[in-house]
Amino acid sequence: MPGLSAITAANGWFITAAGLIIVFTGLAVLAAFIACLDTLLSLWDRWTAWLERATGREVSASRPAPSAQESPAPVQPASSAQKVVLGGETLEVYQYFQWLTRREGEVFSLSRLLEQAEKRGIPRPHFHLDELLLLGLIEELPGEDCGFYRWTPGANVQPEEEPSRRTEPL
Amino acid sequence: MDMVVEFLKNTGFGLADYRHFIMIAVGIGFISLGIAKHYEPLLLVPIGFGILMGNVPIFKGFGLGIYEPGSVLNYLYFGVRQGIYPPLIFLGIGAMTDFSTMLGRPKLMLLGAAAQLGIFVTFLAALALGFPANEAASIGIIGGADGPTAIFLSSKLAPELVGPIAIAAYSYMALVPVIQPPIMFLLTTKKERLIRMSDPRPVSKREKIIFPIAGFLMCCFLAPAALPLLGMLFFGNLLKECLVADRLAQTARTALIDIVTIILGITVGASTQADVFLTAKSVGIFFLGAASFMAATAGGILFAKLMNVFSRDKINPLIGAAGVSAVPDSARVAQMIGNREDPSNYLLMHAMGPNIAGVIGSAVAAGVLWSFFM
């Protein structure tokens, strides 16, 4: 029974319509969710910051480190600190780099760090590494250890507040 | 003397007929395409050699053939019959895929959905040509341009067609650079091909971690039958993005996917024994498979043009063709055609969005079709 009647007999029209609707709905809902995700995360950050303030605790970074279990790595909290404000992608990459170097100890190799960063798909690792070097957050070791690097002790990294957040009440 | 004659009769030369030689030629063709033309070599070389293995004439009953219970090949083929290998391949794909281009501009996911039109158009065409509904659904999924998904669905709905469907799917995936460009030129104007797209927004690591969890839950609540494929795809991606399970992600995207690809390729190739493969049905499957790819490509391009009618931020319709999954070949084709028109226009990054959405879309479509014929 070939032809259009075969399609009708097998509920082909219904299956096709339902299938297309489900596929479109699934991906459209997912796309809508992704489109809102950034906003939802900003709201979440504001809420947690507000909660911390309300409970009297110090406000931590507006964006958490890649893993909640991680402790901030080799950078020592400084007293006489050189204050560096980082925002957006740079702050995020700074946190990844810290996480990556934590495995190697206090002293690390830049080439290995770049290799690890590229393997994990961290965006523009060369650019960001250069940026961190220029900001003085990473320093080369002197003397015999020349060629190896460490996080500058005493560097005080502060997350940049987004303009939209500054204007809105918490 | 009789013994010598008897022995010669029992060799492959004595047992072979013309169909074996046709299939051996097909196998050598696959291997040549993989090695000489670099068309999907990781798939075509194992499949091609599998075709050679499956088409050496052998005695039935000696436990050698892939369809004979107890044979080594039959044990390995179990993973194909039961749909075990495709989810494992999806795990590896998830662990090696960066979803950030898709997350940076989520509306491009709709192109991945539109390209699934090919699946359903071919399903209707196969029904109209007289294929039973379960076989028609298995044939239609070729238009998803996703080998593991095609094998998974056909193993569930029409196990006897796994060989022809897999061979058709992988052949056309390898031929994406040949099939798609004429359709892309036919359906777009020069002005459209020159459209430059703005950069997608940067995506934070948190979004990349949340996406596989949210994506899995949303898609699988909607189409639960897609769970084996999408579950593994998103799990693999979570392993990659969470950074704390790097060893697992590394294994999934290297050793595991390579091992499964080897076994899958060899067994799917070996399942094309001449006597079961060279039938009129297989010819029909190849014909419909080609139509399915074309319809899928056209669906993606036309939907991109439709989106341009309503959107201020114009999309280059060439990237609609990347909505057929065939990762990353169809995205490369979009880049190649766009680059031919304007050498400074780089579409690859933009095309990867619909390309990856196409993988999700075809898995959802497979789940939907499976649920209708369970």
Side-chain angles (χ1 to χ4, degrees):
Chain A
M1 187 181 50
L4 293 181
S5 53
I7 298 175
T8 311
N11 280 331
W13 302 114
F14 169 74
I15 291 170
T16 299
L20 279 171
I21 288 168
I22 292 172
V23 172
F24 260 94
T25 309
L27 290 180
V29 170
L30 198 53
F33 172 75
I34 294 165
C36 299
L37 189 56
D38 195 36
T39 316
L40 290 174
L41 287 173
S42 299
L43 287 171
W44 173 258
D45 287 340
R46 262 190 271 168
W47 163 249
T48 49
W50 179 85
L51 206 64
E52 283 175 359
R53 278 185 193 172
T55 53
R57 278 188 285 158
E58 195 180 319
V59 180
S60 59
S62 62
R63 286 177 186 268
S67 162
Q69 295 172 349
E70 288 159 25
S71 58
V75 173
Q76 302 297 318
S79 46
S80 58
Q82 166 203 358
K83 186 178 169 184
V84 180
V85 178
L86 296 181
E89 191 178 278
T90 311
L91 175 65
E92 202 168 279
V93 173
Y94 165 74
Q95 289 168 335
Y96 296 151
F97 280 178
Q98 281 200 323
W99 182 81
L100 289 173
T101 53
R102 194 156 58 95
R103 294 178 173 186
E104 294 188 36
E106 195 185 348
V107 178
F108 54 87
S109 140
L110 290 192
S111 55
R112 184 163 163 69
L113 176 60
L114 280 171
E115 187 189 317
Q116 294 288 321
E118 280 174 349
K119 205 170 19 168
R120 286 169 172 80
I122 292 172
R124 303 189 295 165
H126 291 82
F127 169 78
H128 289 298
L129 188 59
D130 185 47
E131 206 175 9
L132 296 177
L133 284 164
L134 289 173
L135 287 168
L137 291 173
I138 295 175
E139 65 178 17
E140 191 172 12
L141 293 174
E144 284 184 359
D145 291 327
C146 183
F148 287 94
Y149 290 77
R150 67 174 178 181
W151 293 100
T152 308
N156 179 10
V157 176
Q158 295 288 328
E160 183 185 49
E161 276 192 50
E162 289 177 20
S164 58
R165 287 184 204 168
R166 275 201 296 264
T167 55
E168 289 169 20
L170 289 172
Chain B
M1 188 61 191
D2 286 349
M3 275 178 71
V4 173
V5 172
E6 199 61 30
F7 172 76
L8 288 175
K9 273 185 188 170
N10 294 337
T11 62
F13 296 106
L15 294 168
D17 65 32
Y18 73 97
R19 293 175 304 177
H20 292 107
F21 292 111
I22 292 174
M23 289 310 296
I24 287 170
V26 171
I28 292 171
F30 268 52
I31 294 171
S32 311
L33 277 177
I35 295 173
K37 296 276 183 187
H38 291 212
Y39 287 167
E40 299 273 359
L42 301 182
L43 294 167
L44 291 195
V45 173
I47 291 177
F49 202 83
I51 294 174
L52 301 186
M53 285 172 74
N55 286 284
V56 171
I58 45 167
F59 279 123
K60 302 281 182 205
F62 265 35
L64 294 170
I66 196 164
Y67 295 113
E68 292 184 57
S71 73
V72 175
L73 285 174
N74 187 260
Y75 276 114
L76 295 176
Y77 194 54
F78 177 82
V80 175
R81 280 200 314 269
Q82 298 300 317
I84 295 169
Y85 299 144
L88 291 176
I89 288 190
F90 263 57
L91 177 71
I93 293 172
M96 64 172 76
T97 303
D98 184 358
F99 282 99
S100 52
T101 49
M102 189 182 80
L103 300 179
R105 186 176 280 141
K107 72 175 179 182
L108 295 185
M109 288 180 80
L110 295 178
L111 298 178
Q116 307 316 315
L117 187 71
I119 293 177
F120 294 100
V121 168
T122 311
F123 166 65
L124 291 177
L127 283 177
L129 286 174
F131 282 91
N134 59 330
E135 291 183 4
S138 304
I139 295 166
I141 204 70
I142 296 172
D146 195 332
T149 306
I151 292 170
F152 180 79
L153 188 69
S154 49
S155 71
K156 299 293 175 196
L157 296 183
E160 67 285 359
L161 295 183
V162 168
I165 287 173
I167 297 294
Y170 282 121
S171 309
Y172 293 131
M173 278 167 67
L175 292 174
V176 156
V178 179
I179 297 172
Q180 286 196 317
I183 301 165
M184 292 160 93
F185 279 111
L186 192 69
L187 294 178
T188 56
T189 61
K190 187 174 175 65
K191 193 180 166 192
E192 286 172 329
R193 292 194 292 272
L194 286 169
I195 291 176
R196 279 172 182 263
M197 294 174 64
S198 55
D199 286 339
R201 70 172 175 83
V203 178
S204 73
K205 197 71 190 169
R206 276 197 299 177
E207 287 174 88
K208 288 186 193 175
I209 291 172
I210 291 169
F211 171 71
I213 300 168
F216 165 67
L217 292 174
M218 283 182 190
C219 292
C220 289
F221 267 75
L222 199 62
L227 190 141
L229 294 174
L230 288 180
M232 293 304 239
L233 178 78
F234 285 122
F235 173 56
N237 190 248
L238 181 64
L239 289 179
K240 172 184 180 285
E241 297 298 350
C242 73
L243 295 178
V244 293
D246 200 42
R247 265 175 51 197
L248 302 185
Q250 183 69 11
T251 304
R253 69 173 159 253
T254 53
L256 181 64
I257 194 169
D258 288 348
I259 291 167
V260 179
T261 303
I262 289 169
I263 299 173
L264 182 78
I266 285 285
T267 49
V268 163
S271 72
T272 61
Q273 283 183 0
D275 48 345
V276 286
F277 189 80
L278 287 180
T279 60
K281 213 172 233 183
S282 299
V283 176
I285 289 169
F286 269 78
F287 169 73
L288 286 165
S292 187
F293 254 67
M294 291 176 194
T297 305
I301 294 171
L302 293 174
F303 196 78
K305 289 167 73 117
L306 182 70
M307 283 171 79
N308 278 346
V309 174
F310 300 102
S311 172
R312 252 180 285 164
D313 185 18
K314 298 295 179 200
I315 297 168
N316 190 317
L318 291 176
I319 69 165
V324 302
S325 25
V327 180
D329 278 3
S330 54
R332 278 197 206 131
V333 171
Q335 157 72 15
M336 186 183 77
I337 303 293
N339 212 239
R340 202 181 289 171
E341 298 290 342
D342 175 2
S344 62
N345 193 6
Y346 295 99
L347 293 174
L348 185 64
M349 181 179 64
H350 305 291
M352 283 309 290
N355 205 192
I356 296 161
V359 178
I360 301 171
S362 61
V364 172
V368 171
L369 288 171
W370 187 23
S371 61
F372 275 120
F373 298 106
M374 262 178 189

